[in-house]
Amino acid sequence: MPAPSLSNDEKAKVKVSIPGSKVLHAARARVYYAYPDPRSWSYAGLQGAIAFVKDGSTGASFFKLVDLDGTRGVIWEHEL
């Protein structure tokens, strides 16, 4: 995986992919899970820019993963 910092183009891609939400912070990331064994972590096959966002209409906070390599937009999200 490249450097954790996002380029200006990648930052713009994150903002375009998450309309109607305020992006509070974003960085490169991969998604891992610990299921069914909580002592063993596995790579989920998802990577991109993880953004911590606040939804403009509901005020809810989310982690959203944006695909930086392709054109899929938001590929994973988790509401806090």
Side-chain angles (χ1 to χ4, degrees):
M1 224 165 116
S5 299
L6 297 177
S7 69
N8 289 336
D9 289 340
E10 291 169 334
K11 289 177 187 177
K13 190 170 189 176
V14 168
K15 287 183 182 181
V16 167
S17 298
I18 308 173
S21 296
K22 172 132 177 93
V23 177
L24 302 173
H25 187 73
R28 289 188 170 273
R30 285 181 162 186
V31 176
Y32 287 82
Y33 62 93
Y35 182 83
D37 180 5
R39 295 167 294 167
S40 176
W41 288 89
S42 299
Y43 174 50
L46 300 174
Q47 68 179 13
I50 189 88
F52 179 54
V53 302
K54 186 157 188 139
D55 188 282
S57 60
T58 64
S61 297
F62 291 87
F63 284 118
K64 295 190 179 195
L65 186 71
V66 176
D67 178 24
L68 293 177
D69 297 327
T71 58
R72 297 183 292 170
V74 175
I75 55 176
W76 178 87
E77 68 178 46
H78 180 77
E79 184 175 4
L80 302 176

